[in-house]
Amino acid sequence: MRSFQQKLGEFDARGIRVVGISVDPPEVNRRQSQKRGYTFPLLSDPKAEVIRRYDVLHPGAGPKGADIARPAEFLIDSNGTVRWVNLTENIAVRARPEQVLDAFNQIGSVGQ
Amino acid sequence: MDFANVAGKIDMKRKRNWPIWAGFVIVLVGFFSYTFFFAKFPITRDFPWANLLLFCVGGILLLIGLFRAFGRPQVFRGKILASIFTIFSALMVGFFCYVFFYVLRQVPPSVGAPRVGQKAPEFTLPDQNGNAISLSDLRSGSRAVALIFYRGFW
């Protein structure tokens, strides 16, 4: 997330909205955003409904066996079509902002 | 009392075996630095080469310490310490590798996740300020949306 914040200017310049989703409640997201200086939205899905809808649930992997999201990244065009997906095989390895920007550049005129 | 003799005995004491300590400290740093430091940078997070390098350096120093302690026990101290530190270090390296190369790879397959070309499921969720934000809100006025699912800060 930190690396996405650092490259946020490049996402803005291309008209890409960056948004995070986790099971954390809005209070935690507000605190963490302020602490870490994140200026993009962090959405709160405490019951993991959207996380389930995207089939990116990691059951029992959170504190006290809570269901949380596995790391996953989607690039969605302005029509709502998925254009790029990254489903990591190692929790520690996540998409870098450069990968998302490259994916966007390759798609070219997204949604046109 | 022969003070010269007493002083001579102190001088004859066996030398400290510093590589044991240095090696153990480096292995400790290698063990803890992933979570607290190297995981912050993609280049050292995706593959823990920095930590493995520290383990190698620490391991070599521990081996030097072991050879000194057991090979030249009349010169160097540290047989017991070197053995204990080496066992602890091996356990730490083993645990680190187990977590990184096995536990962290136990990710659900997510076979039902939206694929390229499919419609992304619509949603509405509260942001950090409590405002409801939907995927269509994010899409409107932008050329694309980068949706990042993350494990959370807890």
Side-chain angles (χ1 to χ4, degrees):
Chain A
M1 304 297 270
R2 211 172 61 101
S3 54
F4 279 88
Q5 181 63 43
Q6 286 166 349
K7 296 268 179 188
L8 203 59
E10 292 182 41
F11 284 89
D12 288 343
R14 288 168 175 82
I16 310 170
R17 293 290 304 270
V18 174
V19 55
I21 297 184
S22 76
V23 293
D24 284 342
E27 308 88 77
V28 172
N29 286 338
R30 186 169 59 242
R31 206 166 53 235
Q32 292 293 337
S33 289
Q34 284 169 355
K35 185 178 149 196
R36 294 161 193 255
Y38 295 163
T39 53
F40 54 86
L42 294 179
L43 303 184
S44 182
D45 186 17
K47 291 179 185 160
E49 287 163 339
V50 174
I51 291 165
R52 260 176 253 268
R53 214 174 295 162
Y54 278 76
D55 195 23
V56 290
L57 188 76
H58 197 165
K64 294 175 190 160
D67 293 344
I68 59 168
R70 51 120 68 228
E73 298 84 11
F74 297 85
L75 187 66
I76 300 161
D77 71 16
S78 54
N79 296 323
T81 305
V82 175
R83 302 302 293 259
W84 175 84
V85 182
N86 182 61
L87 297 166
T88 184
E89 290 176 355
N90 184 329
I91 288 165
V93 182
R94 294 152 206 185
R96 300 184 188 187
E98 294 83 359
Q99 286 176 268
V100 184
L101 292 167
D102 282 351
F104 179 85
N105 293 342
Q106 278 173 22
I107 293 161
S109 51
V110 176
Q112 285 171 23
Chain B
M1 197 177 205
D2 188 353
F3 285 102
N5 195 17
V6 172
K9 272 181 186 162
I10 290 164
D11 281 346
M12 288 299 288
K13 272 190 99 175
R14 288 176 299 162
K15 290 180 190 168
R16 279 188 179 279
N17 201 342
W18 66 268
I20 303 173
W21 287 93
F24 187 62
V25 168
I26 290 171
V27 170
L28 272 178
V29 170
F31 186 77
F32 289 106
S33 58
Y34 185 82
T35 316
F36 295 108
F37 184 71
F38 289 122
K40 291 187 167 71
F41 310 101
I43 197 161
T44 45
R45 182 183 65 210
D46 291 359
F47 190 81
W49 58 269
N51 303 82
L52 298 180
L53 195 68
L54 286 167
F55 289 149
C56 280
V57 173
I60 289 167
L61 285 168
L62 278 167
L63 279 179
I64 292 169
L66 274 174
F67 275 111
R68 281 179 156 193
F70 285 92
R72 288 187 288 161
Q74 66 281 14
V75 184
F76 291 104
R77 295 194 272 183
K79 270 188 190 174
I80 296 167
L81 199 66
S83 307
I84 293 170
F85 279 3
T86 303
I87 290 166
F88 266 103
S89 298
L91 288 173
M92 280 194 285
V93 173
F95 183 75
F96 184 91
C97 291
Y98 167 71
V99 169
F100 195 88
F101 297 107
Y102 180 75
V103 176
L104 291 182
R105 283 172 201 268
Q106 303 306 304
V107 191
S110 296
V111 285
R115 293 170 195 211
V116 172
Q118 291 182 341
K119 281 279 170 199
E122 180 60 33
F123 60 79
T124 306
L125 290 172
D127 71 2
Q128 64 268 42
N129 300 313
N131 302 318
I133 294 193
S134 68
L135 180 59
S136 37
D137 292 339
L138 293 163
R139 272 164 42 207
S140 67
S142 67
R143 296 185 66 205
V145 178
L147 206 58
I148 304 165
F149 288 91
Y150 64 103
R151 292 163 57 79
F153 302 107
W154 308 338

